[in-house]
Amino acid sequence: MAPADAERVPMAAEMLRITFPYLTFISMTALAGAVLNSFRQFGLPALTPVLHNLAMMAAMLLLASNLPIPEYSLAWGVLAAGILQVLVLWPAMGRLGIRPRFRFNFRHPGVKRVFNLMLPTVFSSSVAQVNVLVGTVVASALVPAAQAWLYYSDRLIELPLGLFGVAIGTVILPQLSRHHADEDAGGYSRSLDWGLRMVMLIGLPAALGLVLLAEPLTAALFNYGEFTDHDTHMVGWALLAMATGIPAFMLTKVLLPAFYSRQDTKTPMRAAIWTVVANVVLTIGLVTPLYLAGNPYAHTGIALATALAGMLNAALLWRYLRREGVFRPAAGWGRWLLRIVVALAVMAAVVVPGREWVGEWSALPGMWRWIWLLAGIGAGAAAYGLALGAMGL
């Protein structure tokens, strides 16, 4: 919310009061999910976020028309989502024979250890949110719609991160922790190598796909009602700039567990501090000249700064990990990347002509936008997969 929107502050404050208990419930959900993941049970924790979406939709459908301020239904939906997720995951721990009891003993050595490990982790894990917050504040000084353009582009960036980056990071953490506890340096290095290769295999085509189909994707998803063709164009440019950072964002999701599995939370925090500083400097450096020149694409500088800061974060984590000597890349990385680059070129050669042939996506009826978009995504994915297969990957 922009600082100028003072009239919305009372509504935001009331919604904050309603949703505040959600922090307790989602923390309990995260604890239960971590326990289940440590027992290699990934399915149920991965499915519980669906309950969040269902609760939000149910609240909007059932409560919005019965409340004096319909927006409050979203807040109640968030609270209900937190309760539902706890009710699903907490009994699942009990079926494993784990039944935590609430005992407040802040002097317990285990509690002190958790706090010492947790505090640096809070900052290093939230660096992306901090960068988005910086961008939001800067965007509030631009045109009124700049914040919305960046928000929509960020939502689309979160799709591949949530589907693949978080999934790989979640699966790999228990493996790395087990190898570290067993003092199995070879297994630790092989697991991390696998995770990094999977990120490159999935992250690079995801980034290229969003770059090539930024505006068509925005038109198909959002260009309805009050969302204009101009908005579509502006979100497309922001998405194009931010999508360049997807591989780095996904690499971070895998590199962070490499430190956490060794109970090293301070090193990622140092990288996070440098990343936030770099993001602020880059945002000011990229946006200021565009804004002063009256360039309508000044908001794109914020998106690009976010992407570049993400690249720096991944590079620092990689450097720290290699410097400590706990990761030794397996042979064949150069050939692996070369085949991916060739497959990406084939993918672009298929997607770009189709995109240009369709022309102005916003002018198409809604159904045809989706038909051509899905056709483009399918053709690009098929071309990428076939090219990799032809090269023996």
Side-chain angles (χ1 to χ4, degrees):
M1 185 175 61
D5 295 339
E7 67 277 4
R8 300 184 184 180
V9 170
M11 181 187 298
E14 180 62 26
M15 294 179 75
L16 180 61
R17 280 191 283 268
I18 296 171
T19 57
F20 195 77
Y22 174 79
L23 293 175
T24 299
F25 294 117
I26 199 61
S27 297
M28 294 169 63
T29 299
L31 172 62
V35 171
L36 294 173
N37 288 338
S38 68
F39 282 85
R40 299 187 181 184
Q41 295 192 15
F42 303 105
L44 194 58
L47 288 174
T48 48
V50 176
L51 296 175
H52 188 283
N53 296 330
L54 293 176
M56 294 288 288
M57 290 187 289
M60 287 187 288
L61 291 173
L62 301 176
L63 294 179
S65 59
N66 297 317
L67 294 176
I69 301 179
E71 288 82 358
Y72 286 172
S73 63
L74 296 173
W76 288 110
V78 168
L79 180 60
I83 297 172
L84 284 174
Q85 292 178 85
V86 171
L87 292 177
V88 170
L89 289 188
W90 212 256
M93 283 199 304
R95 290 192 290 271
L96 293 174
I98 301 172
R99 295 176 176 85
R101 297 180 180 179
F102 294 95
R103 296 176 180 175
F104 294 94
N105 182 7
F106 295 103
R107 296 181 179 180
H108 191 281
V111 174
K112 293 181 179 179
R113 186 180 180 187
V114 168
F115 269 110
N116 290 334
L117 293 173
M118 181 184 70
L119 293 178
T121 305
V122 170
F123 185 79
S124 56
S125 298
S126 61
V127 62
Q129 287 72 27
V130 173
N131 289 340
V132 169
L133 177 62
V134 171
T136 302
V137 173
V138 174
S140 65
L142 306 177
V143 295
Q147 288 179 307
W149 297 336
L150 291 170
Y151 172 80
Y152 286 119
S153 62
D154 180 66
R155 292 300 87 199
L156 294 174
I157 292 296
E158 290 295 333
L159 179 61
L161 293 184
L163 284 176
F164 305 114
V166 174
I168 296 173
T170 300
V171 170
I172 203 174
L173 177 57
Q175 299 287 347
L176 294 175
S177 300
R178 191 171 293 108
H179 289 311
H180 178 67
D182 295 339
E183 298 183 356
D184 181 6
Y188 181 96
S189 189
R190 285 192 299 271
S191 294
L192 184 55
D193 190 87
W194 172 86
L196 295 175
R197 288 182 185 238
M198 289 303 101
V199 164
M200 304 307 328
L201 185 68
I202 298 171
L204 288 173
L208 181 62
L210 285 178
V211 167
L212 297 179
L213 295 174
E215 196 160 324
L217 185 61
T218 305
L221 284 171
F222 305 126
N223 193 356
Y224 308 98
E226 296 183 8
F227 199 99
T228 65
D229 293 350
H230 177 68
D231 293 324
T232 298
H233 185 64
M234 290 303 188
V235 172
W237 273 96
L239 178 58
L240 187 153
M242 199 178 297
T244 58
I246 285 180
F249 299 150
M250 293 181 67
L251 281 172
T252 300
K253 299 294 184 184
V254 175
L255 291 171
L256 283 175
F259 292 93
Y260 297 155
S261 64
R262 298 164 50 241
Q263 299 185 7
D264 178 7
T265 58
K266 293 182 179 179
T267 301
M269 186 184 69
R270 290 199 300 270
I273 292 172
W274 282 110
T275 301
V276 171
V277 172
N279 182 62
V280 173
V281 173
L282 287 169
T283 299
I284 296 174
L286 292 172
V287 174
T288 301
L290 294 174
Y291 176 72
L292 294 177
N295 192 306
Y297 300 101
H299 70 289
T300 305
I302 300 174
L304 183 58
T306 302
L308 293 175
M311 295 177 193
L312 175 64
N313 192 30
L316 288 173
L317 293 173
W318 169 269
R319 178 174 175 269
Y320 293 150
L321 202 61
R322 294 283 288 140
R323 187 177 63 185
E324 294 175 10
V326 296
F327 172 56
R328 295 178 177 84
W333 261 96
R335 186 182 177 191
W336 172 276
L337 290 175
L338 179 61
R339 285 184 288 184
I340 291 178
V341 170
V342 173
L344 291 175
V346 174
M347 172 182 164
V350 171
V351 172
V352 172
R355 181 196 66 188
E356 297 302 315
W357 183 80
V358 172
E360 186 61 42
W361 288 73
S362 298
L364 296 173
M367 182 183 69
W368 283 103
R369 295 179 199 173
W370 278 103
I371 290 175
W372 286 115
L373 178 64
L374 294 176
I377 294 173
Y384 179 72
L386 290 173
L388 289 177
M391 291 182 287
L393 187 61

